[in-house]
RNA sequence: GGCGACAUAGCCAAGUGGUAAGGCAGAGGUCUGCAAAAUCUCCAUCCCCGGUUCAAAUCCGGGUGUCGCCUCCA
């Protein structure tokens, strides 16, 4: 298993801290709005990381934070004229719903920042005591100069970035790179009591506390979007090193950005889509296929055409699997003693820093084989393998609901009845009527396929 | 100013030294009352220039172009 580690900027062999176990932390949302399609990429990708390690037999502990206190939440609370905690709760629930709709498996722990306030304050206190942080009139800053390793994750030289960078002037900081650990509350803002007066945590602190609480001082993989490398993860790591002398995580994985029609997504460009919006139009499999068809570290361009292509591509998988009885496939999958070559190839692809694009190509080979192999056993095996491997990418979670054979019996009987009438019409060469029946059924989502052996039908989309 | 990524067929996209996976679209054949579906077949020499090598999309140097981070951001 090779992973690209942002810290070393190279692929490294993955060696877990404890054999057979994976401790994984990926940054979750700040709940001030519905999350957007770019966030979805990160959530889906780390869901695949988790699923694949589980497939490999690892005992995975996956933790994802929900940051529910922050400047943006306060702004949104003012905009919606609601208390901040109601806004946070609203969007935290929406986050959980949308993740579920995207087929993202629930992390083992999803702690909230406001539930860990005592630990956050404790962490800041320790940093102050150790001389890595200082207070200025109710604000507490991390002293970046106190830590020689500062900048080692993102590869930044502190001095370099000051010239020409858009660093806001803040005269109370000792150094422009110093960041806020605790922020004094202004009148009307939410606050918690602390040794430095009433205030709230700065960004970066909550992730350190929550990740270490569930995973230990230093864990295996820390993930998030590429934009989090600096400052967020650099600052998290700085706190961890100052606290324990050890880096927060051994491997840092970052997914690339999503652009809309070649441009960065932003509200001002009016090319901002929430995952919720996109889920209205496309199914989760299509969205997932779209993301996984490109390597996770590359930037990806979002267009509707591409999602539609992905949807069509996924249809091939469904057709391949639908050709077999689900119970038969489960039987085959359960009895499988030896892995076939396709599965080994799939693992090779995934073991090479999650080459999901290549892995998907192998699924297509399996779909092909499920139709073309010389004997029925071979074909069934290919379909069963396709189903099983596809699931490690999070595909096929909605199979049942869209499969014709899962419909209530009455609906099925009615369709068979109608098809019987159409068959009569065709016998009488009443093409006008038979075509009308076909078109009308299609209009309500039932697609007909005539074949010499009879008429088949299935649900479309 | 500092740091980084990318450039492969109409579109998307794998491929890090041995003569280009896969998907979508397209073309043609079979099948069909028609259509859809199914099925078979076809469709690139890898941004430019130079270098290393028996051999490069793949390594090195130089261009050109696109994008991102350094401020909240997945």
């Amino acid at each position: 298993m090779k992973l690209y580690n942002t810290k070393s900027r190279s692929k490294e062999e993955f060696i877990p801290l404890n054999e057979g176990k994976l401790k994984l932390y990926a940054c979750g949302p700040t709940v001030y709005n519905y999350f957007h399609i770019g966030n979805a990429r990160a959530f889906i990708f780390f869901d695949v990381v988790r699923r694949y390690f589980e497939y490999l037999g690892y005992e995975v502990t996956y933790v994802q934070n929900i940051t529910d206190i922050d400047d943006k939440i306060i702004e949104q609370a003012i905009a919606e004229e609601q208390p901040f905690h109601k806004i946070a709760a609203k969007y935290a629930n929406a986050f959980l719903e949308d993740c579920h709709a995207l087929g993202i498996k629930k992390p083992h722990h999803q702690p909230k920042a406001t539930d860990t306030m005592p630990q956050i304050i404790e962490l800041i206190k320790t940093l102050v005591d150790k001389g890595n942080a200082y207070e200025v009139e109710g604000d507490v800053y991390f002293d970046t100069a106190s830590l020689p390793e500062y900048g080692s994750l993102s590869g930044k030289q502190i001095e370099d970035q000051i010239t020409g960078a858009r660093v806001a002037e803040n005269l109370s900081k000792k150094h422009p790179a110093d960041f806020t650990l605790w922020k004094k509350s202004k009148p009307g803002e939410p606050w918690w009591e602390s040794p430095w007066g009433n205030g709230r945590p700065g960004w970066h602190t909550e992730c350190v506390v929550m990740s270490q609480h569930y995973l230990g001082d230093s864990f295996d993989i820390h993930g998030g979007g590429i934009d989090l490398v600096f400052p967020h993860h650099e600052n998290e790591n700085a706190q961890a090193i100052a606290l324990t002398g050890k880096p927060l995580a051994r491997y840092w994985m970052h997914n690339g950005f999503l652009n809309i029609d070649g441009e960065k997504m932003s509200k001002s460009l009016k090319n901002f889509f929430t995952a919720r919006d996109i889920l209205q139009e496309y199914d989760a499999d299509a969205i997932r296929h779209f993301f996984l068809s490109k390597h996770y570290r590359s930037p990806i361009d979002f267009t509707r055409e591409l999602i539609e292509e992905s949807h069509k591509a996924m249809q091939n998988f469904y057709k391949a699997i639908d050709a077999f009885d689900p119970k038969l496939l489960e039987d085959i999958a359960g009895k499988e003693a030896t892995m076939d070559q396709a599965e080994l190839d799939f693992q090779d692809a995934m073991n090479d820093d999650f080459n999901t694009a290549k892995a998907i190509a192998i699924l297509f080979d399996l779909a092909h084989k499920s139709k073309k192999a010389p004997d029925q056993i071979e074909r069934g095996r290919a379909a069963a393998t396709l189903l099983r491997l596809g699931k490690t990418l999070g595909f096929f979670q909605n199979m049942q609901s869209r499969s014709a054979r899962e419909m209530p019996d009455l609906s099925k009987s009615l369709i068979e009845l109608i098809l019987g009438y159409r068959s009569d019409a065709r016998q009488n060469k009443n093409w006008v009527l038979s075509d009308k029946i076909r078109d009308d059924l299609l209009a309500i989502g039932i697609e007909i396929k005539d074949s010499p052996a009879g008429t088949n039908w299935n649900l479309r989309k």
Side-chain angles (χ1 to χ4, degrees):
Chain A
M1 183 81 192
K2 282 203 164 73
L3 301 178
Y4 182 90
N5 191 347
T6 303
K7 189 172 169 62
S8 65
R9 300 182 187 203
S10 59
K11 282 187 201 173
E12 294 176 18
E13 186 64 35
F14 174 73
I15 301 160
L17 216 49
N18 298 303
E19 204 181 329
K21 294 186 180 174
L22 173 72
K23 294 188 181 302
L24 171 67
Y25 185 92
C27 281
T30 299
V31 285
Y32 67 103
N33 205 335
Y34 298 110
F35 69 84
H36 56 68
I37 189 68
N39 300 69
R41 183 182 199 187
F43 301 154
I44 288 172
F45 175 66
F46 288 102
D47 179 57
V48 169
V49 171
R50 177 250 184 101
R51 285 171 187 272
Y52 185 66
F53 272 101
E54 285 174 346
Y55 158 84
L56 289 178
Y58 278 78
E59 186 187 311
V60 178
T61 310
Y62 179 28
V63 180
Q64 182 186 44
N65 62 292
I66 294 179
T67 296
D68 60 350
I69 176 63
D70 164 275
D71 290 357
K72 292 194 295 296
I73 295 172
I74 294 171
E75 276 173 36
Q76 189 66 24
I78 292 165
E80 293 193 31
E81 297 181 335
Q82 296 265 333
F84 92 94
H85 61 269
K86 284 206 170 166
I87 294 299
K90 172 181 165 184
Y91 292 114
N93 284 333
F95 162 70
L96 296 174
E97 283 170 19
D98 294 344
C99 281
H100 180 73
L102 285 168
I104 292 165
K105 233 170 144 176
K106 205 167 163 43
H108 301 92
H109 304 283
Q110 280 182 307
K112 289 180 176 158
T114 55
D115 290 340
T116 47
M117 208 52 76
Q119 294 94 315
I120 288 173
I121 290 167
E122 192 57 38
L123 173 144
I124 297 171
K125 215 152 69 179
T126 308
L127 288 174
V128 172
D129 290 348
K130 287 189 134 191
N132 296 106
Y134 56 93
E135 185 211 341
V136 182
E137 294 171 7
D139 291 326
V140 182
Y141 298 102
F142 187 90
D143 185 354
T144 51
S146 73
L147 197 74
E149 295 94 331
Y150 190 78
S152 63
L153 174 65
S154 56
K156 293 194 184 303
Q157 307 291 315
I158 301 179
E159 299 309 324
D160 285 350
Q161 68 182 79
I162 292 167
T163 320
R166 294 160 289 175
V167 175
E169 282 288 312
N170 183 334
L171 298 175
S172 52
K173 288 189 201 176
K174 284 193 205 168
H175 189 286
D178 292 355
F179 56 92
T180 313
L181 295 169
W182 187 260
K183 194 166 184 169
K184 187 166 73 177
S185 64
K186 297 189 189 113
E189 289 181 345
W191 52 268
W192 285 259
E193 278 180 26
S194 82
W196 317 282
N198 296 337
R200 63 179 182 276
W203 195 39
H204 318 308
T205 56
E206 83 282 13
C207 281
V208 179
V209 168
M210 295 190 271
S211 60
Q212 291 189 331
H213 177 72
Y214 289 101
L215 300 172
D217 287 349
S218 197
F219 46 92
D220 293 308
I221 298 176
H222 190 134
I226 186 82
D227 54 317
L228 295 183
V229 176
F230 190 90
H232 187 51
H233 288 165
E234 185 71 61
N235 291 353
E236 286 180 25
N237 201 34
Q239 292 172 68
I241 293 172
L243 283 168
T244 69
K246 291 186 286 190
L248 188 59
R250 289 143 36 89
Y251 302 87
W252 297 79
M253 296 178 73
H254 295 96
N255 61 277
F257 247 57
L258 171 137
N259 296 320
I260 307 281
D261 294 323
E263 284 188 302
K264 184 174 172 174
M265 175 165 53
S266 78
K267 283 177 179 168
S268 57
L269 286 170
K270 292 189 176 173
N271 61 0
F272 186 92
F273 301 108
T274 65
R276 186 160 276 222
D277 291 338
I278 301 304
L279 277 163
Q280 294 289 315
E281 291 179 65
Y282 304 100
D283 56 272
D285 274 321
I287 295 168
R288 205 173 259 266
H289 175 98
F290 161 72
F291 284 125
L292 300 181
S293 66
K294 189 157 182 177
H295 187 86
Y296 75 92
R297 282 189 281 116
S298 305
I300 193 167
D301 198 35
F302 175 90
T303 64
R304 271 151 213 276
E305 291 72 29
L306 289 173
I307 301 271
E308 271 156 30
E309 276 186 19
S310 283
H311 177 257
K312 287 177 190 161
M314 285 303 294
Q315 295 306 303
N316 285 323
F317 293 154
Y318 277 106
K319 284 170 192 162
I321 292 166
D322 269 338
F324 296 88
D325 186 287
K327 281 188 185 142
L328 178 75
L329 292 186
E330 270 176 39
D331 277 3
I332 296 171
K335 283 181 197 155
E336 204 57 59
T338 55
M339 267 182 215
D340 61 22
Q341 189 57 43
E343 183 151 7
L344 296 173
D345 292 343
F346 179 88
Q347 290 184 4
D348 281 347
M350 293 294 280
N351 287 347
D352 182 15
D353 193 31
F354 291 91
N355 191 337
T356 52
K358 196 171 184 180
I360 287 173
I362 290 153
L363 297 188
F364 276 104
D365 292 341
L366 282 167
H368 192 65
K369 197 174 165 195
S370 77
K371 297 170 196 164
K372 300 274 283 299
D375 67 276
Q376 184 67 13
I377 305 289
E378 284 277 299
R379 280 181 244 157
R381 278 187 53 172
T385 306
L386 166 62
L387 182 61
R388 194 157 42 84
L389 297 182
K391 280 182 172 172
T392 77
L393 298 180
F395 291 149
F396 310 136
Q397 296 189 64
N398 297 316
M399 288 252 4
Q400 271 66 20
S401 66
R402 67 151 57 75
S403 164
R405 68 177 82 84
E406 293 297 324
M407 285 187 70
D409 287 343
L410 180 62
S411 305
K412 267 200 214 173
S413 308
L414 287 169
I415 290 169
E416 297 297 339
L417 202 63
I418 292 165
L419 290 182
Y421 296 145
R422 177 166 174 274
S423 177
D424 292 345
R426 293 180 75 218
Q427 293 263 311
N428 297 326
K429 298 200 190 298
N430 186 346
W431 310 124
V432 177
L433 178 59
S434 71
D435 288 355
K436 179 170 165 46
I437 292 172
R438 181 175 63 202
D439 294 345
D440 288 350
L441 285 174
L442 185 61
I444 60 170
I446 295 160
E447 186 176 40
I448 286 178
K449 294 172 224 166
D450 291 325
S451 78
T455 300
N456 295 314
W457 62 275
N458 68 321
L459 294 183
R460 211 165 183 208
K461 207 169 182 182

